[in-house]
Amino acid sequence: MKHFLKENDFSNDEILEVFDRAAHLKQNRKQGLANDLAGQTWGLLFYKNSTRTRVSFEVGINELGGKSLVLDQKTTQIGRGESIHDTAQVLSRYLHGLVIRTFGHEIIEEFADHANIPVVNALTDLLHPCQIYADCFSIAEKLGDSRDPFASLAGKKLTFLGDTSCNMANSWIMAGKLFDMKVSLAGPQDFAPKPDFHDLLNNEGMDCDFQFTSDPNEAVTGADIVYTDVWVSMGSEEEEESRIESMKPFAVTSELLSQAKPEALFMHCMPTHPGLEVSQEVLDSSQTIIFDQAENRLHVQKAILAKLASDSAT
Ligand code: CP
């Protein structure tokens, strides 16, 4: 069974297929519904809050002719300790696919191990691959051709600032390898990529080349894309005060952004916290493409779902 849990779960040819389909779906959205998921019901199992991911998946499944069913751990028997093994087996008898947002990456891996339907990673503490594909599509759209992400992204420098141990930073390191980008990370030393992520790279046989520095100016110099994310990820709320204090030097201000290339893109997966990881001035600037990123979640995820549905039918 084909799942989408990590950036490298699709081959280069499959990535081209997904991006081409996403571009087509975006271009033709107004012309009506597609039927890739006709007669299907996909579950959305969310252990964490979400606006973009949940809504874009629900709308996307609907626009592909399917139905969605939103589930959470509190109101299902998962919250009372039913095993992932049994839950995955049972849900596979009802549903045609399962989109999961959860905490530990091992949870989604266990679901995928026991499900007989495609499982999609809608964010774990380790990776956020749907966001990354939508972001790469958005960059290609702005700097090249969204149907040809490899040519559009190759050699581009992406600088990620702030909590460089978070799922988005990890996902960018993997995307850097897949799309031949230069990934530069800048954050406090305590928030460098963590051993569990290095273990994942080793398991995947991915030899990723990235720079880490605690000097934000050095990291941003010459960047084509400047990216940041929330400093206090879901599940880290107890560390809020100390995280904010240590990450202040890595806030994306107009002054810092001016060290990048003049036409550099500013990106953020949202939700944003103006005045913390990014200034309002940067968010209001013409370099910001955050709403294109959010929109492209819809088109790219539809293409991912269509691909998984088609592969599981054969
Ligand atoms: N970027 C993102 O995943 O947004 P949500 O948490 O709102 O889904």
Side-chain angles (χ1 to χ4, degrees), residues 50-53 101 128 131 269-270 297:
S50 169
T51 297
R52 280 145 289 272
T53 310
R101 166 168 288 200
H128 199 357
Q131 179 73 54
C269 55
M270 304 181 83
R297 296 289 303 276

Side-chain angles (χ1 to χ4, degrees), residues 168-196:
M168 281 305 303
N170 293 341
S171 281
W172 270 118
I173 291 169
M174 291 183 86
K177 176 74 180 174
L178 292 176
F179 293 100
D180 195 21
M181 298 171 77
K182 294 176 203 148
V183 174
S184 175
L185 309 176
Q189 192 65 47
D190 292 351
F191 292 93
K194 295 265 188 293
D196 59 346

Side-chain angles (χ1 to χ4, degrees), residues 94 112 128 138 169 210 225 241 260 291:
Y94 306 135
H128 199 357
S138 306
F210 64 93
I225 303 118
E241 218 171 300
F291 297 112

Side-chain angles (χ1 to χ4, degrees), residues 46 48-56 101 122-123 128 130-131 135 168 227 229 234 268-271 293-294 297 301:
F46 277 51
K48 291 184 178 187
N49 292 14
S50 169
T51 297
R52 280 145 289 272
T53 310
R54 181 182 150 176
V55 176
S56 56
R101 166 168 288 200
L123 179 147
H128 199 357
C130 290
Q131 179 73 54
D135 289 346
M168 281 305 303
Y227 203 113
D229 191 5
M234 286 179 278
H268 191 309
C269 55
M270 304 181 83
Q293 292 175 254
R297 296 289 303 276
Q301 286 163 191

Side-chain angles (χ1 to χ4, degrees), residues 51-293:
T51 297
R52 280 145 289 272
T53 310
R54 181 182 150 176
V55 176
S56 56
F57 268 111
E58 280 212 75
V59 171
I61 290 165
N62 184 274
E63 290 186 359
L64 291 173
K67 289 191 166 58
S68 59
L69 183 66
V70 177
L71 303 162
D72 63 53
Q73 84 282 18
K74 287 192 193 120
T75 57
T76 57
Q77 298 289 4
I78 298 169
R80 297 183 65 246
E82 185 164 20
S83 70
I84 291 174
H85 172 278
D86 287 2
T87 307
Q89 292 270 332
V90 169
L91 293 180
S92 297
R93 300 290 178 107
Y94 306 135
L95 301 169
H96 298 87
L98 191 54
V99 176
I100 303 177
R101 166 168 288 200
T102 189
F103 292 90
H105 194 74
E106 67 284 357
I107 297 173
I108 203 164
E109 284 181 332
E110 200 178 342
F111 266 103
D113 283 347
H114 301 297
N116 302 312
I117 52 176
V119 174
V120 176
N121 181 354
L123 179 147
T124 65
D125 290 344
L126 203 60
L127 297 173
H128 199 357
C130 290
Q131 179 73 54
I132 283 290
Y133 272 36
D135 289 346
C136 290
F137 184 93
S138 306
I139 297 169
E141 198 172 51
K142 298 289 175 194
L143 303 183
D145 176 358
S146 57
R147 288 189 153 92
D148 194 356
F150 295 105
S152 304
L153 273 60
K156 296 284 186 289
K157 177 177 176 179
L158 181 138
T159 299
F160 188 97
L161 295 130
D163 178 3
T164 65
S165 66
C166 77
N167 46 17
M168 281 305 303
N170 293 341
S171 281
W172 270 118
I173 291 169
M174 291 183 86
K177 176 74 180 174
L178 292 176
F179 293 100
D180 195 21
M181 298 171 77
K182 294 176 203 148
V183 174
S184 175
L185 309 176
Q189 192 65 47
D190 292 351
F191 292 93
K194 295 265 188 293
D196 59 346
F197 177 60
H198 289 290
D199 290 346
L200 174 86
L201 293 181
N202 286 337
N203 290 341
E204 296 298 313
M206 284 185 92
D207 180 18
C208 295
D209 188 22
F210 64 93
Q211 308 294 317
F212 173 83
T213 173
S214 289
D215 179 348
N217 288 297
E218 178 193 325
V220 167
T221 299
D224 298 282
I225 303 118
V226 175
Y227 203 113
T228 191
D229 191 5
V230 56
W231 287 342
V232 186
S233 298
M234 286 179 278
S236 304
E237 290 79 4
E238 282 170 19
E239 302 167 9
E240 180 168 349
E241 218 171 300
S242 62
R243 278 174 166 256
I244 289 174
E245 200 48 42
S246 65
M247 290 185 204
K248 268 182 191 164
F250 303 93
V252 183
T253 58
S254 297
E255 193 186 349
L256 184 61
L257 189 58
S258 71
Q259 309 289 313
K261 285 189 179 162
E263 70 283 13
L265 304 174
F266 171 72
M267 300 180 72
H268 191 309
C269 55
M270 304 181 83
T272 65
H273 302 81
L276 289 177
E277 75 272 7
V278 57
S279 70
Q280 189 63 55
E281 195 179 15
V282 168
L283 288 170
D284 292 339
S285 77
S286 59
Q287 289 170 265
T288 297
I289 63 162
I290 60 173
F291 297 112
D292 296 307
Q293 292 175 254

